[in-house]
Amino acid sequence: MRTNHIRRRVVLFLASALTAAGLLAACSSDDGPTKPAVVTELLRRTVGPAGDTLILPDELALEIPAGALATDIEITISTSNAAPPRGLGKTYEFAPDGQVFASSPRLTLRIPVDDLGVNTLPEEVRLFTRPSTEWSEVPGSVGELDDTEAGAPVLEVSVLLQHFSPYAAATLEQTQVLFGVYGFAQDSAVGFGRNGVVAIYDGTDVSALAGRISGVLTDGWGLDLSSHLAVGYDGEGRIWSWDGNNYTVVGKAGRTTSGRAMRAIDGDDLVVVAVGNGGRVFVDDGTGFTEPTDPAVTASEADLLTVKCFGGGEAVAAGNEVCLVRSGGVWLRRDLDLITSNRLFLRSVWGVGPADYYLAGFEEVPGEGVVGRLYHCQGSWPPSPVGDLPGNPGRLHGVWGDADDLYVVGEGGVFYHRAGGAAWSVEGTCAGETVTFYDVWAADDEILSAVGSTVQGGLNRAVYVHGVDECEVVDTGGGGGTGRTILFDNRTDRELACQLTWTYGVTDGAASLTVVPATVNEDCPEACDTFFRDSSGSGENPTYPWRLKINGGRLVVDLPRFYSRAELVVDQIYHDYGGDESYSGRTRCFAFRNGAEVAARGAAGGNTQTVVLDPGGDFNQLVVESCAGRVHAITVYP
C-alpha cells in the first residue's frame, strides 16, 4: 500500500495545535513602488540530525528527514506580505535563509479550495519561490485535492525543497486553455476548456463557443458531436449532455462542496465511466450514472484524472498516486509501489485493450524535480517503462494512438510520435511559441487533434492542433464567456463632497460599488469623489453617459461571483496647479481574489482608454485608485 498520500494527511490533521498569527497576502506590481515586506514569526524550533516535522495546523507541514541536517539548526517559519502574481493563501519565509540539506525536506501548503473559484483546477496551482528579487515556479510542485476529511476539501501543494527561501502557492498564468479533446471523425472533433469553452473542429477551421457553462470543461466523449457528453466543474462536479448548442446536466458528483470536479469520461458498448477529483467514479450501464461501491473505489480519495474504456465494460482509471482497473464489473486497485517508491502522478491512459495499454504522467524524483514517465502494460502488472523518449520531458499530460501510431504530449511543447516500432520523432507544434499540451486524440496518422495553452504576443491563448503541422491559436474571447458591463446609474448628478463612503446601484445588478474615503494631501489637493453626467464640447457621451470622477479616493467593486477578466474604461486627468505638473493624477486598476491582489495595471496618458486585467485566474473584487481620474464603465467576464 502506498503511504505517502495518507501520511501527509495524518501529519497535518493529528498534530497538536499551534498558535499562529496570520496576515492577508498582498502583492506589489510593476506599476508602483515595491511595498516593504512585513514579516510575522509563527514558529521557532531547533532541529538536528534526527529530523523533525514542523506543523502549522491547516496551513503547512515541513517534514525534515533524518540525516538532512548534520548539526542542530534553529529553524523559524514566518509569514510575509510579499506574494507572487496570482498568489493563493500566505507567503511563508524560512530561516536560516538559503539553508541547504543533505536530503530534501517536503513542504506542503494547504489552501481552502474555495479560493480557487470555479475556473481553476487543482493541478494549475504550483509553489513559487523568490530566492532573490523575482518569483519563479518551483520545479516539481504539484497541487492536488485533499478530500479525506469531512466538509469542504482542501488544496494541498507539495514539493521537495532544495533550500530555504520564501515560498507561496499561486496559479499558473493560463487565462485561455483547452484541457481535453475528443474526436468523432476526420472532420469532427471538439476541445473542452476554461470558462465553458467548446472548441469545435469541422475538418477545416476551429470555432470557439464560450460560456457554455459557468465554469470549466475538462473532457468529453460520445459517438458524434451532436450528442456527446462532457465533464467539468461549475461549483460542483458535473456530467453534461450536449444538445448542439448548450449542455444539460445528466450527472453530478453528489456533494456540493467546492473542488470536486469531474475530470475525465469515456465509454464503450456497455458502460460510460466518468472520474474526478477526490476519487469520484460514476458508471452508467444504461440506467443512469451511479457510484460503484467496490472497496477499491470507496477507499480512495486520490484525484482521478483519466479513464479509458476498452469494450465489454473493461476500463482503467488513473490519477495522483492511484490506478484502478475495472474487470468483470469489479474495480481493483493496482499497486504503484511495484513501479516506483516515489510519488507518481498519472495523467492519461490509452490502449487497444485491457491487456495492452499505456499510462502517461510524471514522477517526483528527489533532486531532479518531476520527470516525465510513459509505461506500457501488456497483460501483467507492473507495466514496463518506455525509456526512449526524446530529450528530458517533464510533465506528460496526454497519450493516444491506434494499433500503429502513438502520440504523447505534455509541457514545454512536448509532442512525440512513434509509428509502428520505429523510433520516436518530435512533431511540429507552434513555432516560436511556449506551449503546454494537455490532451491528444488520434485515430490514424491523418486524424489528429491536440489541445492546450500558449503565449502569443504576451497574451495567453488556447491552442488547437489539427493535423501534425497545423497549429491554430484560438482566441476564446475576453477570458471566455459573455461579459457583463457595469454602468453607473442615471438618477441625478451627485457631488460626494468628500463623504466617507457611499454605495450606489448599477444598471445590471452585477456588483455593489463603494467609494472609500478620499484623502486630502499634497499629491491630491482636490481629494473628493464626484459622480456626474459626461458632457464635453461635442455633447454627451452616448455610450457612457455617466462616469465617476475619483480624486484621491478608491472605487471598490465587490463582485457576487468569481470572474476571470475585466476591462475598465478609464481616463487620467492632468491638472496644472499653478504651473506645477508634479501633481498630475494617475489611475491604477487592481483585481483581488478573496483579499489577495492578483493583477494590477496603471493607465497612462489623459485619453479615455481600456485597461485590461487578465490575472490568469479568478477574482471577485476590483479596485480603481486615482488622484484625478474617471471611470466610465467596467466589463467583467466569467
Side-chain angles (χ1 to χ4, degrees), residues 224-532:
D224 55 61
L225 175 63
S226 62
S227 59
H228 69 269
L229 299 174
V231 294
Y233 178 70
D234 66 352
E236 182 176 0
R238 296 188 190 272
I239 307 166
W240 291 275
S241 176
W242 178 255
D243 64 6
N245 188 54
N246 286 297
Y247 285 109
T248 302
V249 176
V250 294
K252 59 183 181 179
R255 289 180 283 179
T256 57
T257 52
S258 301
R260 297 184 176 96
M262 299 306 297
R263 301 302 306 277
I265 187 169
D266 199 40
D268 59 23
D269 55 328
L270 291 184
V271 298
V272 178
V273 180
V275 300
N277 292 111
R280 302 279 84 76
V281 177
F282 289 85
V283 178
D284 183 359
D285 59 3
T287 60
F289 284 99
T290 59
E291 291 187 88
T293 58
D294 306 270
V297 174
T298 58
S300 175
E301 299 88 12
D303 293 344
L304 289 167
L305 306 176
T306 181
V307 63
K308 174 63 179 174
C309 296
F310 300 111
E314 307 285 309
V316 172
N320 294 342
E321 302 185 88
V322 63
C323 182
L324 304 176
V325 175
R326 190 177 193 266
S327 179
V330 178
W331 288 94
L332 304 172
R333 187 183 183 97
R334 295 301 193 198
D335 187 358
L336 297 186
D337 282 334
L338 297 179
I339 300 177
T340 176
S341 60
N342 296 323
R343 301 181 70 200
L344 183 62
F345 302 89
L346 299 172
R347 289 293 187 259
S348 183
V349 57
W350 174 85
V352 296
D356 187 4
Y357 62 89
Y358 291 85
L359 293 162
F362 53 92
E363 178 183 355
E364 182 189 56
V365 180
E368 298 183 40
V370 296
V371 178
R373 299 297 190 206
L374 180 65
Y375 298 97
H376 189 191
C377 187
Q378 296 176 289
S380 62
W381 191 266
S384 302
V386 179
D388 58 345
L389 293 172
N392 184 27
R395 301 169 197 255
L396 299 181
H397 290 301
V399 57
W400 198 273
D402 58 22
D404 297 317
D405 292 270
L406 191 65
Y407 296 90
V408 177
V409 299
E411 290 189 6
V414 166
F415 198 144
Y416 299 149
H417 174 215
R418 187 173 69 184
W424 290 94
S425 61
V426 179
E427 300 292 350
T429 56
C430 297
E433 303 294 349
T434 301
V435 183
T436 294
F437 287 114
Y438 282 104
D439 198 12
V440 61
W441 175 88
D444 57 42
D445 57 359
E446 295 181 355
I447 309 174
L448 174 69
S449 295
V451 296
S453 181
T454 187
V455 177
Q456 186 180 68
L459 297 176
N460 184 269
R461 292 289 182 260
V463 64
Y464 197 117
V465 172
H466 40 94
V468 172
D469 296 315
E470 298 181 57
C471 179
E472 183 169 344
V473 176
V474 183
D475 187 350
T476 54
T482 302
R484 300 187 68 183
T485 299
I486 302 169
L487 297 173
F488 305 114
D489 62 23
N490 58 356
R491 289 174 288 182
T492 59
D493 290 5
R494 298 182 183 225
E495 287 285 341
L496 287 160
C498 299
Q499 294 180 34
L500 292 181
T501 60
W502 181 51
T503 302
Y504 51 90
V506 293
T507 57
D508 73 344
S512 62
L513 286 77
T514 302
V515 177
V516 300
T519 302
V520 177
N521 55 57
E522 63 178 7
D523 293 327
C524 297
E526 295 185 353
C528 295
D529 298 297
T530 307
F531 181 73
F532 61 97

Side-chain angles (χ1 to χ4, degrees), residues 46-225:
T46 298
V47 180
D52 200 353
T53 298
L54 283 66
I55 299 168
L56 297 175
D58 298 323
E59 292 190 39
L60 70 78
L62 177 65
E63 302 172 67
I64 303 175
L69 295 170
T71 60
D72 288 353
I73 298 292
E74 186 178 63
I75 292 175
T76 60
I77 303 177
S78 307
T79 58
S80 168
N81 67 336
R86 305 171 305 280
L88 294 170
K90 300 176 182 178
T91 295
Y92 296 93
E93 297 193 357
F94 300 85
D97 187 48
Q99 175 71 45
V100 295
F101 303 88
S103 54
S104 299
R106 177 175 296 281
L107 173 64
T108 301
L109 301 188
R110 292 172 59 84
I111 303 158
V113 171
D114 286 342
D115 288 357
L116 295 183
V118 300
N119 263 310
T120 304
L121 299 175
E123 62 266 29
E124 292 184 276
V125 180
R126 307 280 174 85
L127 280 181
F128 286 74
T129 186
R130 191 184 62 181
S132 56
T133 59
E134 300 293 330
W135 287 94
S136 60
E137 181 184 337
V138 181
S141 61
V142 179
E144 56 185 320
L145 197 68
D146 176 9
D147 203 15
T148 58
E149 299 296 312
V154 173
L155 179 73
E156 287 192 352
V157 193
S158 178
V159 74
L160 293 173
L161 299 183
Q162 302 303 310
H163 56 79
F164 274 168
S165 62
Y167 291 92
T171 58
L172 296 175
E173 189 173 3
Q174 294 186 140
T175 309
Q176 298 185 20
V177 58
L178 296 172
F179 291 109
V181 63
Y182 192 83
F184 312 99
Q186 186 169 354
D187 60 353
S188 180
V190 59
F192 307 91
R194 198 192 309 285
N195 302 301
V197 168
V198 180
I200 298 174
Y201 175 58
D202 62 7
T204 303
D205 299 311
V206 178
S207 58
L209 305 178
R212 301 301 97 176
I213 67 164
S214 297
V216 58
L217 295 169
T218 57
D219 195 20
W221 172 87
L223 301 179
D224 55 61
L225 175 63

Side-chain angles (χ1 to χ4, degrees), residues 540-588:
E540 295 181 355
N541 184 330
T543 305
Y544 309 118
W546 294 82
R547 58 189 180 176
L548 179 71
K549 180 179 178 181
I550 305 175
N551 285 336
R554 304 170 72 235
L555 173 66
V556 180
V557 183
D558 291 305
L559 299 162
R561 48 162 290 187
F562 286 98
Y563 289 84
S564 67
R565 187 172 187 264
E567 296 177 356
L568 301 95
V569 181
V570 299
D571 62 32
Q572 177 183 13
I573 305 172
Y574 287 90
H575 289 288
D576 182 356
Y577 299 117
D580 185 352
E581 295 184 358
S582 63
Y583 298 130
S584 297
R586 188 183 189 198
T587 302
R588 296 181 66 201

